[in-house]
Amino acid sequence: MKSLQEYFTCPDTGLKFHQPVIALAKANIIAAVVYLLAGGLLGIGVALTRWPAIHLLPSEYFYIFLTGHGAAVLLFWIHLFSCGIAYFFCTTPINARLATPKLAWVCFWMMVIGSAIATVMVLTGQATVMFSAYPPLKAHPLFYLGVILFAVGAVGTNFIILATIMKARSEKTYKGSMPLATFGVMTYAIIGIFTWVSGAIIMIPTWLWSMDLISNIDPQMYRLIFWGLAHSTQQMNIVIMITIWYTLAAVLFGARPLSEKVSRTAFVLYLFALQFGSAHHLLSDPGTSFAFRTFTTSYAAYLAVLGSLLHGLTVPGSIELAQRRLGLSHGLFEWLRKAPWANPIFSGLFLSLVIFGFLGGITGVTMSNQQINMIIHNTMYVPGHFHGTVAGGTTLAFFAFSYWLVPIITRRKLAYPKLAQYSIYLFGLGMATFSLFAMAAGHLGVPRRHWDITFADAVLPFQFPGTVQLLMGIAEAGVMVSGIGALFYLLSMFGTFVGKVVEKGAAQPLAEPAGVVAARMHGGTEPAHGKGLEVPGSLILAMVLLIFLAVYYYAQYKYLGTIWTIR
């Protein structure tokens, strides 16, 4: 029998935490936030250089900043944070102890040391290979070693998550079916093992090649396996983000999924289909067959899209059903209008859902189409798209979850709550602006990786129309706005970590009585459904999304038809 001192029960929420999980979550979140700060500063440098009217950095520093920004935010910020909260999801909802805390700390330090080594190599100009690091571009061997160490630490975390869940099941720490949050993080861990093993498969020989121990790395082979790492890490983001959506809907509103079976099925679809979406990075490559490209980016990938559509209905639907049962049932959207929009936990959740769905999801589906991809490949459309997913979607969800979890595990009140409130709207507005206008510039052919879109030093000069200058200016102004939002988040987080410890009241934005959150997190029966349509507002929102997708598809092909004329 383990000592009760191994556990901490939050007096505000009633949640029981395994003490090692609290320490690991704190360490991972602090490390992640440091990389968000570093990546954000580098991203502002990139934005001020791409902004034609400012054009801040010389070419050498632009590519250093671009490489560092991609590594810091796409890999280190996202996945350090994810690992920290994944330990929470695999223990607290099922009353479990973390399987191997000591090994978890080894994995954490491998991730921190590996990311630090890779970052130093980038910032010293010895690994200016951009995020994808395609051969024949070659970085210093320590850069690849750093990435490998990070990947090994991350995959170790995924195995610990699965071991913890298996241990809890054998010890029967919970009754009935596994809570949805834990099911989601189990899906995350399985995808993560595939992802980080793919990274090791290609990064280890590339590391040997950088030391001249291997004579050659085939670029096509590298690209194929690399995107099993790079794109699949974004699928991990999606799964952990959706797990956060369900969790925050539960703790804020007592919302249950409309159907646990449907939500679990949607997660399972990710297991078998999401990885195929990686192939849309290869649609312009000569080394893959048309049949391969067609299957992976249409028929197979659409199964993953179906999973996202199911989540996109059931998350707002569960909130709507809970709100209507509290009396907010007048009209289609009273439940939404009278939601706690001043609470950064809710606003972060809902803006994450909307921005991810409309800007990230829809554009991701269309750009995976063979013909459409040919007109936007390697243009500003691509960073416009993934800033809608990774920044507007995942990062906003992380902000919201931080505002709930960090005060609980630190036993400190949320610092600067007004800044926290503003951070969500500023970051969301800024990222949505960048995403929209960068994609518009991409349609006009603006390259995503060129230092100077005016091509002032080119042997064969080219000049974009004035519209491009305007679009890029607005897009990069959006980055500045989102940077202010991120700064507010950082101030709130660092202020919370060093704030005064309180016995009760740390989870102030929720104002939940003890025990209520715990009951919601630990599953239970699905909501009883009455007769008739109980979530009409969410169905309307879902139909708007589908109509928008259809219109957007039509507009893309219409535009394609004006470029590719048949004579």
Side-chain angles (χ1 to χ4, degrees):
M1 179 67 68
K2 293 292 180 180
S3 169
L4 292 177
Q5 292 181 348
E6 262 198 306
Y7 295 92
F8 161 73
T9 300
C10 172
D12 294 301
T13 63
L15 293 173
K16 187 169 72 172
F17 294 82
H18 191 209
Q19 290 283 9
V21 169
I22 294 177
L24 282 161
K26 288 180 183 177
N28 275 272
I29 291 173
I30 290 172
V33 167
V34 169
Y35 276 112
L36 176 64
L37 173 61
L41 292 173
L42 293 169
I44 288 174
V46 171
L48 292 177
T49 305
R50 280 181 171 152
W51 195 335
I54 298 176
H55 202 52
L56 178 67
L57 299 172
S59 59
E60 177 184 358
Y61 287 101
F62 171 77
Y63 290 111
I64 289 175
F65 275 51
L66 184 59
T67 303
H69 172 66
V73 292
L74 283 174
L75 278 181
F76 306 147
W77 144 250
I78 292 286
H79 294 288
L80 279 164
F81 190 98
S82 296
C83 288
I85 64 173
Y87 288 137
F88 161 76
F89 284 125
C90 73
T91 55
T92 294
I94 56 176
N95 296 306
R97 291 179 292 113
L98 192 64
T100 55
K102 291 182 180 179
L103 183 57
W105 278 111
V106 171
C107 292
F108 167 75
W109 285 112
M110 288 183 72
M111 295 174 74
V112 169
I113 293 170
S115 60
I117 292 172
T119 300
V120 169
M121 290 299 101
V122 171
L123 296 182
T124 56
Q126 300 179 76
T128 310
V129 291
M130 294 180 286
F131 174 72
S132 51
Y134 291 148
L137 293 175
K138 183 184 290 188
H140 191 282
L142 284 177
F143 170 78
Y144 300 108
L145 178 61
V147 174
I148 292 167
L149 284 174
F150 185 88
V152 172
V155 78
T157 297
N158 297 144
F159 278 113
I160 292 169
I161 291 167
L162 296 181
T164 299
I165 295 172
M166 292 174 63
K167 184 178 178 66
R169 189 170 182 85
S170 67
E171 293 178 351
K172 299 181 180 180
T173 62
Y174 64 97
K175 296 180 181 179
S177 62
M178 183 185 300
L180 186 61
T182 306
F183 189 87
V185 84
M186 181 180 69
T187 307
Y188 159 87
I190 295 170
I191 295 176
I193 291 170
F194 166 84
T195 299
W196 299 116
V197 169
S198 296
I201 289 172
I202 196 58
M203 282 298 165
I204 290 174
T206 306
W207 174 46
L208 298 175
W209 168 69
S210 71
M211 295 186 290
D212 296 323
L213 298 177
I214 291 179
S215 61
N216 180 58
I217 292 290
D218 180 70
Q220 182 63 51
M221 179 194 70
Y222 178 95
R223 286 169 62 86
L224 176 64
I225 303 176
F226 171 80
W227 284 111
L229 162 70
H231 196 84
S232 295
T233 56
Q234 310 317 311
Q235 318 309 346
M236 296 172 67
N237 301 346
I238 292 173
V239 174
I240 205 77
M241 172 187 70
I242 292 170
T243 303
I244 287 173
W245 290 351
Y246 282 114
T247 302
L248 294 184
V251 299
L252 283 169
F253 303 101
R256 307 283 188 191
L258 297 179
S259 169
E260 287 242 3
K261 291 180 180 179
V262 170
S263 297
R264 291 170 193 270
T265 300
F267 277 124
V268 171
L269 286 175
Y270 285 165
L271 281 178
F272 294 102
L274 259 181
Q275 317 319 314
F276 290 115
S278 304
H280 81 254
H281 293 278
L282 308 173
L283 290 177
S284 298
D285 287 21
T288 54
S289 68
F290 179 77
F292 169 81
R293 296 194 297 264
T294 301
F295 173 76
T296 55
T297 59
S298 58
Y299 303 108
Y302 289 160
L303 291 175
V305 173
L306 175 60
S308 293
L309 290 173
L310 291 173
H311 291 306
L313 172 62
T314 190
V315 172
S318 66
I319 294 173
E320 179 179 1
L321 184 59
Q323 289 280 75
R324 287 183 180 277
R325 292 182 175 182
L326 290 174
L328 300 177
S329 56
H330 296 291
L332 288 173
F333 296 112
E334 185 187 25
W335 63 276
L336 188 56
R337 286 188 294 104
K338 294 186 178 180
W341 289 99
N343 185 339
I345 301 171
F346 171 74
S347 58
L349 156 67
F350 211 84
L351 288 182
S352 165
L353 192 154
V354 171
I355 293 174
F356 178 84
F358 279 87
L359 296 184
I362 286 177
T363 60
V365 173
T366 52
M367 74 185 292
S368 296
N369 181 278
Q370 173 80 58
Q371 291 81 6
I372 294 172
N373 185 273
M374 297 304 291
I375 62 174
I376 59 177
H377 180 75
N378 249 357
T379 70
M380 280 299 295
Y381 189 99
V382 178
H385 153 72
F386 65 68
H387 278 78
T389 57
V390 179
T394 304
T395 296
L396 265 184
F398 285 5
F399 283 10
F401 199 71
S402 300
Y403 291 141
W404 176 68
L405 183 66
V406 171
I408 294 174
I409 62 176
T410 61
R411 301 312 306 152
R412 291 170 167 87
K413 288 188 177 182
L414 181 67
Y416 313 119
K418 277 294 181 183
L419 292 186
Q421 179 182 340
Y422 298 148
S423 72
I424 296 295
Y425 291 103
L426 289 172
F427 189 83
L429 173 65
M431 279 297 105
T433 300
F434 174 79
S435 182
L436 282 169
F437 285 90
M439 286 189 290
H443 270 305
L444 296 178
V446 177
R448 62 179 289 202
R449 286 173 166 152
H450 201 283
W451 162 66
D452 180 11
I453 69 165
T454 67
F455 297 101
D457 58 348
V459 176
L460 299 175
F462 178 83
Q463 186 172 0
F464 284 107
T467 305
V468 165
Q469 307 283 334
L470 176 64
L471 292 173
M472 289 299 295
I474 296 174
E476 307 307 351
V479 173
M480 300 301 109
V481 173
S482 69
I484 297 172
L487 175 62
F488 287 173
Y489 166 77
L490 292 167
L491 289 172
S492 182
M493 280 296 99
F494 285 128
T496 302
F497 272 106
V498 300
K500 184 179 179 181
V501 176
V502 294
E503 290 301 318
K504 290 192 70 172
Q508 190 176 12
L510 292 176
E512 292 282 13
V516 173
V517 175
R520 293 173 180 177
M521 280 291 297
H522 287 282
T525 58
E526 293 183 7
H529 297 286
K531 295 181 179 179
L533 191 61
E534 292 190 288
V535 289
S538 297
L539 284 174
I540 292 294
L541 293 176
M543 290 307 300
V544 169
L545 179 69
L546 289 175
I547 292 170
F548 188 85
L549 173 60
V551 171
Y552 191 75
Y553 243 121
Y554 171 79
Q556 293 285 325
Y557 271 103
K558 181 71 173 176
Y559 179 63
L560 182 65
T562 65
I563 299 174
W564 290 2
T565 57
I566 299 176
R567 302 183 185 277

